[in-house]
Amino acid sequence: MILWLCLCWGFSPSAGQPDSELMARYLEEQLLADYSIAEQVARRVPRQAKFLQRLETRPRMSDFHVRSTIISRYAFTTVSCTMVNSGSEAREAVFEMQIPAAAFISNFTMSIGNKTYYGEVTGKEKKNSSDDKERHKKPPSSTEGRENGYETFKASVFVPRKMQARFILHYEELLQRRLGKYEYTVSIRPQQLVGRLRVEVNILENSGIVSLEVPPLRNSKQKGNGKAEGDVSPPPSTVIGHTKTLAKVTFNPSVVEQTKIARNGILGDFIIRYDVNRELSVGDVQILNGYFVHYFAPTDLPPLPKNVVFVLDSSASMVGTKLKQTKEALFTILQDLRPEDHFNIIGFSNRIKVWQQDRLVPVTPNNIRDAKKYIHNMSPTGGTNINGALQTGAKLLNDYIAQNDIDARSVSLIIFLTDGRPTVGETQSSKILSNTKDAIRDKFCLFTIGIGNDVDHKLLERMALENCGMTRLFQEDEDAASHLKGFYDEIGTPLLSDIRVDYPEEDVEQVTQNFFPNYFNGSEIIIAGKLINRTSDKLHVEVTASNSKKYILLKTDVAIDLPSRNDIRGVPGLEDGKGDNNYIERAWSYLTIKELLNSRLKSDDSQEKDNLMEKAKSMALAYNFVTPFTVLKMKEAGLHSEPPQEEFISPSTDGIGEKVQSLQGHKAPPGIRRDQDKQRIKISKTSADGDPHFVIDFPASKFSVCFNIDGEPGDILRLVSDHKESGVTVNGQLIGAPAPPNGHKKHRTYFSTITILSNKPERSYLEITPKRVILDDGERLVLSCGRSAVVRSRSLEVSISAYSNITVTIRGTISFVILIHHYKKPAPYQRNHLGFYISNSKGLSSDSHGLLGQFLNHEVKLLQESLNMRRQEAGLNQTEALKANPTNTLKVKGRLVPVVWKQRRIYNGQQEVDCWFAKNNADKLIDGSYKDYLASHPFDTGTSFGTVNSL
């Protein structure tokens, strides 16, 4: 089997699907059914469809699902894809997914037939750093002809005949605010029609969600995308629902709807835009588990005046569409300049042409008219003198600032646009970078724009980074003009300058960038860090900045209320179960790694570059991120590995109509505390927990009975045996541990494994340990106990509350709860173990048996004679009489059982139970002796003493 995996800049689509209406109809009718390989082989299909299938040489994609959870701007995305090879020979399946370039991949898993491969993030060896260099040397290319900013993740495997391959990709990103909106984008380009295609995005913003919108699919070059001119409606089949703080957006097109959008399976980008409520203050500071993230985006401020120099490439390579679009964008941008602004224009090729020599002119109708004429007359010719153009622009702006009494709070900037690489004058990138930095001298910012595939992206990116600017890359297509205008709109309205955000040094550490030269309208400043003093009840925050009329100082004390409103415990399903790993911490790690990467890119010192690389690599490995210094290596899992599965749970969201679901798998953010999960579970006292201690509740008699079983390590106890009637059997296997000092026992035993078997209406079994749950109902599924999840089938539901408990419901009438006891620092006599509780026994028959099952439909009587006698003698009520009498007698199925009064704590000690205790391994209380309840193996379903059956 050939297996290869790569992360590349380009996007190379495979051959198109036959765009036949017949195939679309066939897929619509047949592929929406459950994809079973055996069923696919046996299913009879129309003759025409068979013919079209023979024409298709690729494995067919049966489902393509994207599930995302966005919590406070931090997005967790899971992409799952299943490909079916129904052919008679092995075929190559290629999984391609465009992901945002700013995102970090956090996991990748795939299964081919009965083999599973998982991705392991490891550090790149220093000798392989050339791979990273080569990646940057390759010019970005895209056949989609749209704005850059995406990378293509690609995995390819050969799938054996009549088998399927399943891919699951996870990535994370911190959404950036642009033009007043956060934009989350999912690339939907399966390159073939898909039977089951679904995108689901869940958003949780405690600040409140405003201006939620889903525009038409974005695919500027794709024809037939269903987007009419001026159409702003969501794509077909899109459903939007939201409350004040929660939103759910789904996109679930049928095959026919997909065909109407694009018959080759390249639908486009599914986009969600939204903003949050914000107050004019220091911003939104969110604190959780010792980490904080600070969002600062003030509004309703007057814009600062700006001094801007446009430096435009007019070399021969700009001929045609690129120069035409640049001119169109500049015409609009000039019209948007404000009266208090000043500007100039430089055109460059092998010659440098300045529109207004040695000055910046004010914005007047005449100057705007003359500037448009100058731009209109620009013609493409000659080479590309990038260094000379930037030197001229920097000198022009520096001289203007030095010689004129400009507003001290105005913002000066250069906007530089090119489509190529330096070919005239200084052509060495390092010299151009050095010269540019020396010319600007931190007095203003440089913003760079690249158009087309031949531009030196690394040069433009570093120039912008070193000079407090930003860079954008656009493709040469019909939307380039609007992209250029959009980028200018991002930086065209500066509201604040010299923004500094401070926190007390004794309270925080490892804070990300906290000084920003400019804040532009519609953007957002983000700072994150760690708290030193977690016990403090407040965090002091100061923001200083300048605007057009005054110097601003904002102060406040942010309350650290633990648990705070930033804890997502109130939204079940948004947890991963790891209390030391949460979305705010991951946002901090994401920002920190990004800053380390940028610092390394800007550095010229080799030792400093190595130190920054090691820091970024170390943090990326700690948080399982794929970065330029880490790689995702695929490894085959063990012999008993299981196919990758998506785990999810449905959070409660009143007011949405359709429940918002968090379908986050790997690395889903934690936040729900274990004790809160446990309090929501309704169970009875009937249980087997601890050493193990058994409790049977008799509601009709209004008392409980308890006993111990002193078994041996390795014993498998029958807890519930009802295989013949309800089809349910529960067995528990014991594990040994040393007895505590000065104890009366030679050793302790706990339940290490609980096995639940059911054969009605279909065969299934569960094997539960403190670490994992194995479910086999014809298809084997392994779930981690450290991740909350819900799995439902026709007759069985398994609900995992991370590191807390597992609830198993059979046919809606039988429910068991298994508690997970996990010790962080166990004593020598402690072991991680399980507790078994019966929540609902209505579905079990009257003939059920087992150490617990035999009492579920039978009552036990406390002999009234001894009770009345004691009460009369002592003059006490019933309860006091029972306590006063050291021994009493129970009548069980005609047997007299001596018992004593005891108190037991169950459910992790949270509930105290008064019970009658039967000694000597429940002698006479249970049918036979406890050895009669020993099973030969975990799957033994024998119900009569001395017999063994297996499911």
Side-chain angles (χ1 to χ4, degrees):
M1 179 177 294
I2 299 175
L3 174 67
W4 58 275
L5 179 70
C6 66
L7 182 67
C8 57
W9 286 85
F11 181 74
S12 179
S14 304
Q17 183 88 346
D19 57 346
S20 167
E21 189 68 20
L22 177 60
M23 176 60 81
R25 292 179 182 275
Y26 167 70
L27 289 171
E28 174 71 0
E29 295 170 0
Q30 301 292 338
L31 298 188
L32 294 180
D34 185 30
Y35 262 82
S36 165
I37 301 299
E39 291 178 358
Q40 276 301 116
V41 174
R43 179 180 294 142
R44 299 182 63 183
V45 298
R47 181 180 302 173
Q48 298 92 333
K50 285 185 176 181
F51 173 74
L52 290 174
Q53 282 184 313
R54 287 196 295 269
L55 294 179
E56 177 58 56
T57 60
R58 297 175 298 170
R60 187 171 58 256
M61 189 177 296
S62 64
D63 67 74
F64 180 84
H65 290 180
V66 179
R67 297 179 172 112
S68 175
T69 302
I70 303 172
I71 311 173
S72 296
R73 294 78 147 173
Y74 196 77
F76 299 82
T77 302
T78 299
V79 182
S80 65
C81 172
T82 301
M83 295 187 181
V84 179
N85 179 11
S86 57
S88 58
E89 58 184 20
R91 292 175 176 174
E92 184 182 29
V94 179
F95 169 66
E96 290 186 357
M97 182 69 190
Q98 284 193 352
I99 66 173
F104 286 147
I105 292 172
S106 57
N107 196 18
F108 178 65
T109 311
M110 58 184 175
S111 64
I112 303 95
N114 59 356
K115 290 189 177 182
T116 298
Y117 301 85
Y118 64 94
E120 182 178 292
V121 178
T122 61
K124 276 187 180 179
E125 298 295 334
K126 192 172 181 180
K127 63 182 180 180
N128 293 334
S129 60
S130 59
D131 296 342
D132 181 54
K133 294 180 180 179
E134 184 65 24
R135 170 180 167 182
H136 287 286
K137 287 180 180 178
K138 293 181 180 179
S141 62
S142 173
T143 61
E144 298 304 311
R146 59 184 183 85
E147 182 180 352
N148 200 297
Y150 294 86
E151 294 179 349
T152 299
F153 179 89
K154 186 174 184 178
S156 175
V157 294
F158 276 88
V159 183
R161 56 186 293 272
K162 310 301 181 185
M163 300 189 77
Q164 68 179 14
R166 182 168 176 80
F167 307 88
I168 299 181
L169 173 69
H170 304 267
Y171 62 88
E172 303 174 21
E173 61 180 314
L174 182 62
L175 302 185
Q176 301 297 312
R177 187 170 183 257
R178 295 178 180 173
L179 302 176
K181 295 286 183 68
Y182 302 101
E183 182 172 293
Y184 176 77
T185 303
V186 175
S187 175
I188 308 176
R189 290 168 168 80
Q191 303 182 64
Q192 57 179 281
L193 301 175
V194 184
R196 294 187 298 268
L197 190 153
R198 181 178 176 85
V199 176
E200 181 172 317
V201 180
N202 303 290
I203 305 171
L204 170 62
E205 295 286 353
N206 283 322
S207 301
I209 300 172
V210 297
S211 304
L212 179 67
E213 63 181 40
V214 181
L217 292 171
R218 181 175 62 193
N219 191 354
S220 58
K221 300 243 339 165
Q222 182 64 46
K223 296 182 180 180
N225 60 0
K227 179 180 177 182
E229 187 67 23
D231 182 16
V232 294
S233 59
S237 79
T238 301
V239 178
I240 305 172
H242 68 91
T243 62
K244 181 179 179 181
T245 60
L246 285 164
K248 176 182 178 180
V249 180
T250 60
F251 175 57
N252 190 23
S254 66
V255 175
V256 172
E257 288 172 324
Q258 294 174 47
T259 306
K260 293 178 180 178
I261 297 172
R263 295 188 177 188
N264 62 357
I266 302 177
L267 276 65
D269 295 329
F270 184 77
I271 303 168
I272 297 174
R273 298 190 185 106
Y274 73 95
D275 200 13
V276 300
N277 286 315
R278 59 189 80 248
E279 300 176 356
L280 181 58
S281 64
V282 297
D284 180 16
V285 182
Q286 301 187 16
I287 302 171
L288 183 64
N289 295 342
Y291 293 84
F292 74 90
V293 62
H294 184 179
Y295 300 101
F296 181 64
T299 57
D300 300 325
L301 294 173
L304 297 173
K306 59 181 177 290
N307 313 303
V308 56
V309 176
F310 299 97
V311 182
L312 309 177
D313 188 343
S314 61
S315 62
S317 60
M318 288 286 289
V319 67
T321 304
K322 286 185 281 190
L323 187 58
K324 178 183 177 182
Q325 293 172 345
T326 300
K327 292 180 178 181
E328 291 175 358
L330 260 294
F331 291 158
T332 306
I333 290 171
L334 290 174
Q335 205 63 44
D336 288 345
L337 291 173
R338 296 181 178 86
E340 62 271 20
D341 296 339
H342 292 75
F343 73 106
N344 203 341
I345 302 170
I346 296 175
F348 73 95
S349 54
N350 56 330
R351 299 173 54 191
I352 312 298
K353 299 179 180 179
V354 181
W355 172 49
Q356 298 287 339
Q357 290 292 331
D358 302 326
R359 62 175 182 150
L360 269 66
V361 300
V363 175
T364 65
N366 289 340
N367 285 337
I368 295 297
R369 179 199 61 202
D370 293 343
K372 288 182 178 180
K373 289 182 180 179
Y374 174 80
I375 293 172
H376 176 74
N377 292 328
M378 289 176 63
S379 58
T381 182
T384 308
N385 189 352
I386 291 178
N387 183 74
L390 288 171
Q391 292 297 305
T392 302
K395 183 178 186 304
L396 181 66
L397 197 50
N398 273 317
D399 291 346
Y400 175 77
I401 294 173
Q403 297 172 7
N404 293 272
D405 185 20
I406 64 171
D407 191 325
R409 295 188 180 92
S410 64
V411 173
S412 299
L413 50 97
I414 291 178
I415 297 178
F416 175 84
L417 182 149
T418 184
D419 75 328
R421 301 167 180 267
T423 60
V424 176
E426 181 60 67
T427 58
Q428 189 173 343
S429 294
S430 59
K431 290 288 186 65
I432 295 175
L433 289 167
S434 176
N435 294 341
T436 302
K437 192 171 183 179
D438 291 341
I440 292 177
R441 300 194 298 272
D442 296 327
K443 290 186 177 181
F444 46 85
C445 297
L446 170 64
F447 297 86
T448 60
I449 301 171
I451 301 180
N453 297 332
D454 299 325
V455 70
D456 189 340
H457 165 251
K458 187 174 181 180
L459 174 63
L460 297 185
E461 181 183 28
R462 186 168 175 182
M463 281 198 303
L465 283 174
E466 290 185 349
N467 298 283
C468 70
M470 297 184 294
T471 188
R472 290 286 186 275
L473 299 178
F474 305 124
Q475 297 304 314
E476 182 185 357
D477 64 13
E478 61 269 27
D479 284 337
S482 62
H483 291 322
L484 291 171
K485 177 59 169 60
F487 179 59
Y488 173 79
D489 289 342
E490 291 184 45
I491 61 177
T493 308
L495 299 182
L496 295 173
S497 61
D498 301 329
I499 305 99
R500 184 177 183 88
V501 185
D502 290 305
Y503 316 90
E505 292 183 359
E506 64 274 13
D507 290 341
V508 299
E509 62 180 350
Q510 299 184 43
V511 178
T512 58
Q513 177 185 348
N514 68 333
F515 177 79
F516 305 87
N518 301 297
Y519 165 70
F520 297 99
N521 187 40
S523 65
E524 185 171 57
I525 289 173
I526 307 176
I527 311 103
K530 298 175 64 175
L531 299 180
I532 296 176
N533 183 10
R534 295 194 178 192
T535 60
S536 176
D537 59 353
K538 62 182 179 180
L539 175 65
H540 185 71
V541 182
E542 289 189 3
V543 179
T544 58
S546 299
N547 79 343
S548 61
K549 295 187 177 179
K550 57 186 176 182
Y551 173 82
I552 297 175
L553 172 61
L554 302 174
K555 295 183 180 181
T556 193
D557 288 329
V558 179
I560 305 177
D561 51 338
L562 299 176
S564 70
R565 71 186 184 97
N566 304 313
D567 197 321
I568 57 173
R569 293 174 303 155
V571 186
L574 298 183
E575 84 282 13
D576 190 41
K578 298 183 179 179
D580 58 350
N581 190 10
N582 57 77
Y583 67 97
I584 290 182
E585 180 182 352
R586 295 191 74 79
W588 166 78
S589 66
Y590 175 96
L591 285 172
T592 302
I593 293 173
K594 288 291 184 182
E595 289 188 4
L596 290 170
L597 296 178
N598 288 338
S599 297
R600 183 180 183 275
L601 182 61
K602 292 189 292 184
S603 176
D604 292 320
D605 183 89
S606 58
Q607 183 175 353
E608 182 185 27
K609 290 172 77 74
D610 288 342
N611 291 337
L612 292 168
M613 179 188 69
E614 289 303 320
K615 287 181 180 180
K617 182 195 297 184
S618 176
M619 181 165 283
L621 292 174
Y623 289 91
N624 215 62
F625 286 147
V626 178
T627 69
F629 309 126
T630 54
V631 293
L632 191 66
K633 293 185 177 180
M634 300 306 297
K635 294 187 176 182
E636 184 174 353
L639 294 176
H640 301 288
S641 63
E642 311 305 329
Q645 300 290 336
E646 298 167 273
E647 304 170 15
F648 64 95
I649 191 170
S650 302
S652 173
T653 53
D654 296 333
I656 294 187
E658 183 181 9
K659 281 189 176 181
V660 172
Q661 291 182 322
S662 169
L663 304 185
Q664 176 60 37
H666 181 73
K667 299 294 182 183
I672 297 182
R673 295 194 306 178
R674 302 175 190 175
D675 55 355
Q676 186 184 23
D677 289 332
K678 294 172 181 176
Q679 292 170 4
R680 287 197 292 263
I681 299 172
K682 184 179 179 181
I683 62 173
S684 72
K685 300 174 185 177
T686 302
S687 59
D689 204 346
D691 193 14
H693 303 313
F694 290 73
V695 176
I696 301 105
D697 188 34
F698 296 95
S701 301
K702 298 183 179 179
F703 63 80
S704 300
V705 177
C706 50
F707 59 94
N708 295 343
I709 293 295
D710 296 326
E712 295 295 327
D715 282 353
I716 301 172
L717 304 182
R718 306 181 198 273
L719 303 179
V720 178
S721 297
D722 196 29
H723 184 70
K724 291 183 178 179
E725 300 298 328
S726 67
V728 174
T729 302
V730 181
N731 296 327
Q733 186 166 7
L734 298 177
I735 188 175
N742 304 321
H744 65 281
K745 294 184 177 181
K746 61 179 180 180
H747 61 251
R748 282 187 165 188
T749 54
Y750 304 91
F751 285 116
S752 62
T753 305
I754 299 291
T755 306
I756 302 174
L757 307 101
S758 175
N759 69 341
K760 295 182 180 180
E762 53 197 10
R763 173 194 175 278
S764 62
Y765 75 83
L766 280 163
E767 182 179 332
I768 301 169
T769 71
K771 290 185 177 181
R772 66 178 187 175
V773 177
I774 300 177
L775 168 62
D776 191 335
D777 59 354
E779 292 185 0
R780 188 175 169 91
L781 168 65
V782 176
L783 302 171
S784 169
C785 290
R787 246 180 288 181
S788 292
V790 172
V791 178
R792 296 184 182 95
S793 64
R794 187 174 64 177
S795 60
L796 183 69
E797 176 177 315
V798 180
S799 176
I800 301 175
S801 181
Y803 293 116
S804 177
N805 54 71
I806 299 105
T807 301
V808 180
T809 304
I810 302 173
R811 299 188 295 275
T813 59
I814 304 171
S815 296
F816 305 124
V817 176
I818 295 89
L819 294 191
I820 303 171
H821 299 279
H822 188 273
Y823 300 95
K824 291 185 178 179
K825 296 180 179 179
Y829 54 89
Q830 292 176 325
R831 294 289 185 271
N832 293 338
H833 64 282
L834 303 172
F836 176 75
Y837 291 74
I838 298 178
S839 178
N840 182 2
S841 61
K842 292 180 180 179
L844 295 172
S845 75
S846 59
D847 293 329
S848 63
H849 211 268
L851 288 170
L852 293 175
Q854 63 185 295
F855 300 105
L856 296 176
N857 294 289
H858 296 279
E859 285 297 323
V860 176
K861 292 184 178 181
L862 186 65
L863 294 184
Q864 295 297 315
E865 293 80 7
S866 62
L867 174 60
N868 292 333
M869 186 187 310
R870 290 296 305 170
R871 187 163 51 190
Q872 292 172 4
E873 292 175 357
L876 303 172
N877 60 31
Q878 179 173 329
T879 302
E880 293 300 321
L882 296 176
K883 292 181 180 179
N885 190 4
T887 61
N888 282 276
T889 304
L890 296 178
K891 188 173 182 179
V892 182
K893 299 179 181 179
R895 301 185 297 267
L896 298 181
V897 184
V899 292
V900 296
W901 184 262
K902 272 199 173 186
Q903 288 187 328
R904 280 276 168 84
R905 289 187 175 273
I906 62 173
Y907 206 41
N908 273 347
Q910 295 183 11
Q911 186 173 352
E912 190 172 82
V913 177
D914 295 328
C915 62
W916 291 107
F917 178 74
K919 299 180 180 179
N920 302 322
N921 280 329
D923 184 38
K924 296 182 181 180
L925 176 68
I926 60 176
D927 296 336
S929 70
Y930 91 92
K931 291 187 177 180
D932 295 323
Y933 297 84
L934 296 180
S936 61
H937 55 80
F939 306 101
D940 183 0
T941 61
T943 55
S944 301
F945 300 144
T947 65
V948 177
N949 296 318
S950 296
L951 182 66

